[in-house]
Amino acid sequence: MADVSEGLTPEVLMDMYYHMVLARVLDDRMWVMNRLGRAPVVYSSNGHEATQVASAFALDRGHDWVVPYYRDLALVLAMGMTPRDVFLHLMGRADDPNSGGRQMPAHWGSVDLKILTTGSVVTTQMMHAAGIALAAKLKHEPTVAMATFGEGSTSQGDFHEALNFAAVMKLPAIFLNENNGYAISVPARKQMAVPDVAARAQGYGIPGVVVDGNDPIKVYEAVKAAAARARAGDGPTLIEAKTYRFVPHSSDDDDRAYRSREEVAEAKKHDPLLVFEQELRDQGLLDDAKHQAVLDRAKAAVDDATEFADTAPDPDPSTLGRHVYHEAVL
Amino acid sequence: MAMTYLEAVRETLRQEMRRDARIIIYGEDVGVRGGVFRATEGLQEEFGEDRVMDSPLAESAIIGTAIGAAINGLRPVPEIQFADFIFPAVNQIVQEAARIRYRSNGTFGVPMVIRAPYGGGIHGALYHSQCIEAFFAHVPGLKVVMPATPYDVKGLLASSIEDEDPVLFLEHKGAYRSIRGEVPDERYLIPLGEAEVKREGTDLSIISWGMTVNSSLKAAENLAKEGVSVEVLDLRTIRPLDTEAILTTARKTGKVLVVHEDNLTGGFGGEVSALIAEHALFDLDAPIRRLAGPDVPAMPYAPSLEHAFLVTPEKIEAAARELAEF
Ligand SMILES: Cc1ncc(C[n+]2csc(CCOP(=O)(O)OP(=O)(O)O)c2C)c(N)n1
Ligand SMILES: [Mg+2]
């Protein structure tokens, strides 16, 4: 089997770090826009950056598919979506590449980047990843499809049907659970009577792996191994990345109603950005000057995106009825 | 060649699969067994287990994965064993398949055909007899096709498979073996959204779709002996809908009887009636009449009850006669 940390060169590690920082800075800016009344709703990847960025980097980006959910800002950035794209989407602009301003923010999708279009109904996407993997298998293409989802979503029937279907058909799929302990306000212990989502894998005859979702190296290795397994024709893997969301579920939520400030403060000690920064400093890849340079670069990109989307045109109301069905190219 | 409705389904699938390697079929019992109605009999032998697959017994998974497979370049033709069991997959059909093109601003599409046997009269009782078309005809982004004859099965199924959008292809179980007709060997397409006048007439129009077109034709034949000239319009697809054909026949005869097996209230007949009332009211010589299944939850089992539920040629004949005399 391939060395799972293969590919983690200093350049790649720094690129991963940049994308994690970029996601955080962008996310923070989206909240500012919301509080200014410029963005009606925001969904964050804040706290999930290690899981999302590292999992994307472990795939063959541009070739493999990701089938995300609304939490995955950092993931889509790592797949190649730009801050401008994200802001066009946030502001519902005509040039939003995800949906042309049709969907709520955080409903990702890009044919070019192999990011499947996302709806709001949780867990349906797991089936789509299995289906993409089914086509890849039947076409004998070495493509992997990775679906992501929260732990609350594992209570849905589609979670179980997808795991079973993919396992029975030995599909090249990865099911990456981003377990942040809450589904809006409901804690994981009210979703399931087992401590780990990964334990579900056993019932479907596939590997279930628990990984520290705040450690990008660990996530990278787990996804790399799952992708190698998938490409070898050995079937899907369920990976559970244990992490935490540092902000409310969305800009409409108030998390003080269901978790203590102490709990959040404790979780922040394991902030993936801090964990990874320390790792890079230990490896001698990062110092104060380089750290500042990364921050400055991210901030510049986010400033540019904010400004760019601010003046971008809204969708033309006359387009309301378009793309209900395929439009023949004339 | 003369063949049954069922044979037309199977032979069309075979012909299409021979010409397009992207087509795959899967569902419950469709492989080794060739489907509980034999619609896919022999296809796994010919095309192999990769293209004709028995899947787990999970409708949401069958449709949900077909969406992914379609997006990744295949042409899935999943089968739902009985239309009655499509409901676990409604989320995937309505929220995902139907909305994906719109929500992605036209960048993603889901070319797939969901085949499902519907309808009653085969002692299938509540859960093997349902007509489900009205639920789905309500959904923009979906197409709903309901052929009445073997000839139409072939042309409409081929068009459905070629279509770039999700199609629900409803085959009437009662038609499978009872309806025979001529079907040319060579491939042909019938555009989705084109109704057909199956019988010309001048006194009144029956508008129907699916199996009840055949019952309406029988009724029309009997009425002709009494000197009543009935036009029968077969919608063939209810989404997209051939509005022009509906208004043309309504204006021509001035009397309209809409016939469907699905229960009356909220049935698709209401939509057809509303269209005529909106656009052709002053061309009518009588109120629009609807003949449909009764408003009970589904078709009961006992033959006496089943018969009482069904929209039979006799009931159609009586309703048409009454309308002709108006
Ligand atoms: C089928 C469905 N039911 C309810 C909702 C409303 N909803 C949106 S997110 C959410 C919680 C999801 O929690 P989880 O899966 O743990 O993901 P997280 O947001 O924590 O990453 C709920 C209930 C929905 N979007 N879809
Ligand atoms: Mg959660």
Side-chain angles (χ1 to χ4, degrees):
Chain A
M1 200 170 81
D3 176 7
V4 288
S5 47
E6 187 191 36
L8 286 180
T9 61
E11 294 72 37
V12 170
L13 289 171
M14 285 303 290
D15 197 21
M16 274 169 52
Y17 182 62
Y18 170 69
H19 280 91
M20 288 169 61
V21 170
L22 176 65
R24 183 68 62 87
V25 173
L26 190 52
D27 199 273
D28 288 345
R29 178 65 58 83
M30 297 197 308
W31 282 80
V32 172
M33 297 299 281
N34 174 261
R35 295 314 186 218
L36 288 172
R38 305 295 312 281
V41 67
V42 169
Y43 296 90
S44 285
S45 58
N46 197 317
H48 289 228
E49 293 90 346
T51 296
Q52 294 179 12
V53 171
S55 60
F57 271 68
L59 297 175
D60 183 354
R61 283 174 293 163
H63 181 77
D64 291 339
W65 280 88
V66 296
V67 185
Y69 75 127
Y70 53 84
R71 188 68 62 214
D72 284 327
L73 170 65
L75 177 74
V76 299
L77 288 171
M79 290 298 289
M81 196 164 293
T82 67
R84 282 186 176 193
D85 295 341
V86 172
F87 257 77
L88 289 169
H89 181 47
L90 179 74
M91 314 286 289
R93 301 306 193 201
D95 295 331
D96 155 29
N98 296 283
S99 76
R102 289 177 170 201
Q103 294 220 77
M104 280 174 102
H107 287 58
W108 317 111
S110 165
V111 175
D112 294 341
L113 300 175
K114 297 264 166 72
I115 299 169
L116 191 69
T117 169
T118 330
S120 295
V121 185
V122 299
T123 332
T124 54
Q125 76 273 16
M126 296 192 56
M127 301 294 198
H128 308 157
I132 289 171
L134 173 65
K137 182 186 166 187
L138 296 179
K139 293 192 290 180
H140 306 290
E141 282 171 359
T143 307
V144 171
M146 181 179 82
T148 55
F149 50 97
E151 85 294 336
S153 303
T154 67
S155 299
Q156 290 276 338
D158 274 9
F159 168 75
H160 299 273
E161 287 193 27
L163 287 188
N164 186 56
F165 189 99
V168 168
M169 301 232 181
K170 279 201 171 223
L171 302 181
I174 299 171
F175 299 106
L176 175 63
N177 175 236
E178 303 183 26
N179 185 349
N180 57 18
Y182 291 89
I184 310 183
S185 67
V186 180
R189 69 185 152 77
K190 292 188 181 173
Q191 297 290 349
M192 49 196 181
V194 292
D196 299 324
V197 167
R200 305 290 195 193
Q202 212 183 357
Y204 303 105
I206 61 171
V209 182
V210 179
V211 66
D212 177 358
N214 297 330
D215 184 339
I217 312 271
K218 291 281 186 319
V219 173
Y220 181 94
E221 289 173 352
V223 174
K224 197 88 179 165
R229 197 181 118 77
R231 274 187 249 279
D234 295 333
T237 303
L238 173 63
I239 301 173
E240 175 185 9
K242 295 211 189 264
T243 185
Y244 200 83
R245 131 171 92 67
F246 295 142
V247 295
H249 170 72
S250 76
S251 53
D252 294 327
D253 179 33
D254 183 351
D255 63 333
R256 287 171 301 189
Y258 54 84
R259 56 185 191 182
S260 70
R261 295 307 87 189
E262 292 72 35
E263 181 189 306
V264 178
E266 178 58 32
K268 281 189 172 170
K269 291 181 187 158
H270 311 284
D271 184 335
L273 265 66
L274 298 180
V275 171
F276 201 30
E277 184 190 328
Q278 193 54 52
E279 169 77 28
L280 295 174
R281 284 181 189 268
D282 291 349
Q283 290 195 23
L285 295 174
L286 201 67
D287 56 22
D288 288 347
K290 284 186 181 146
H291 180 242
Q292 192 57 48
V294 169
L295 274 179
D296 290 346
R297 188 180 152 211
K299 195 172 167 300
V302 172
D303 285 342
D304 167 75
T306 315
E307 217 167 288
F308 182 77
D310 198 35
T311 52
D314 289 328
D316 181 341
S318 72
T319 62
L320 179 70
R322 292 197 55 192
H323 304 302
V324 178
Y325 296 101
H326 177 70
E327 294 176 6
V329 188
L330 300 173
Chain B
M1 203 168 96
M3 63 175 75
T4 63
Y5 189 100
L6 180 68
E7 287 162 345
V9 172
R10 186 193 304 135
E11 292 317 310
T12 308
L13 289 171
R14 190 194 309 281
Q15 193 168 53
E16 294 304 306
M17 289 184 82
R18 281 180 183 163
R19 61 185 297 279
D20 188 347
R22 299 171 305 170
I23 299 171
I24 57 166
I25 288 176
Y26 62 106
E28 296 151 16
D29 306 288
V30 301
V32 176
R33 180 75 177 123
V36 293
F37 291 101
R38 302 287 110 72
T40 54
E41 190 169 38
L43 298 184
Q44 190 178 66
E45 275 101 310
E46 178 168 350
F47 299 104
E49 284 183 45
D50 270 4
R51 293 187 65 197
V52 184
M53 295 174 283
D54 286 319
S55 74
L57 201 174
E59 285 75 15
S60 186
I62 291 168
I63 303 304
T65 57
I67 291 170
I71 287 171
N72 197 14
L74 296 184
R75 292 269 152 163
V77 186
E79 179 181 290
I80 296 293
Q81 195 163 72
F82 290 83
D84 314 59
F85 307 127
I86 203 167
F87 295 100
V90 167
N91 199 28
Q92 289 288 350
I93 297 171
V94 173
Q95 297 276 40
E96 303 296 329
R99 308 209 204 282
I100 276 177
R101 186 179 299 285
Y102 192 76
R103 81 183 188 208
S104 67
N105 205 27
T107 55
F108 286 90
V110 183
M112 76 167 164
V113 181
I114 303 167
R115 289 185 40 255
Y118 81 100
I122 54 135
H123 318 303
L126 278 78
Y127 298 101
H128 301 78
S129 303
Q130 294 169 29
C131 294
I132 59 162
E133 71 267 23
F135 294 114
F136 295 96
H138 185 61
V139 182
L142 281 183
K143 297 187 178 181
V144 182
V145 179
M146 299 180 75
T149 66
Y151 181 91
D152 286 352
V153 162
K154 179 164 178 171
L156 291 170
L157 184 52
S159 286
S160 298
I161 293 171
E162 262 195 11
D163 203 274
E164 295 296 329
D165 291 302
V167 176
L168 183 57
F169 194 87
L170 297 174
E171 302 160 5
H172 198 285
K173 295 189 286 294
Y176 271 155
R177 290 188 168 79
S178 74
I179 304 297
R180 291 181 69 82
E182 278 300 318
V183 179
D185 287 340
E186 70 276 8
R187 184 171 189 265
Y188 57 94
L189 299 173
I190 298 173
L192 306 186
E194 276 188 18
E196 186 183 55
V197 175
K198 285 277 196 292
R199 183 188 174 103
E200 298 261 6
T202 51
D203 294 334
L204 72 114
S205 304
I206 296 179
I207 301 178
S208 196
W209 51 92
M211 183 59 172
T212 42
V213 169
N214 297 303
S215 312
S216 300
L217 286 168
K218 270 190 202 143
E221 207 174 302
N222 282 342
L223 286 165
K225 293 173 197 150
E226 302 171 16
V228 181
S229 168
V230 179
E231 177 145 307
V232 177
L233 180 69
D234 176 5
L235 295 182
R236 300 200 289 201
T237 71
I238 58 171
R239 183 182 274 275
L241 184 62
D242 192 342
T243 312
E244 265 324 296
I246 291 171
L247 297 179
T248 301
T249 191
R251 290 187 177 119
K252 175 180 171 189
T253 65
K255 291 181 178 177
V256 176
L257 172 64
V258 187
V259 177
H260 58 75
E261 182 177 319
D262 194 6
N263 64 288
L264 182 75
T265 305
F268 196 73
E271 183 62 30
V272 175
S273 306
L275 270 170
I276 298 168
E278 251 181 329
H279 301 288
L281 184 67
F282 300 113
D283 297 301
L284 296 185
D285 303 319
I288 301 163
R289 174 87 220 268
R290 288 179 294 161
L291 180 67
D295 279 323
V296 299
M299 198 175 295
Y301 180 62
S304 56
L305 296 174
E306 184 184 70
H307 188 75
F309 183 112
L310 278 170
V311 176
T312 58
E314 296 73 37
K315 288 181 191 168
I316 300 171
E317 197 181 310
R321 188 179 294 114
E322 210 176 277
L323 186 60
E325 287 163 3
F326 184 91

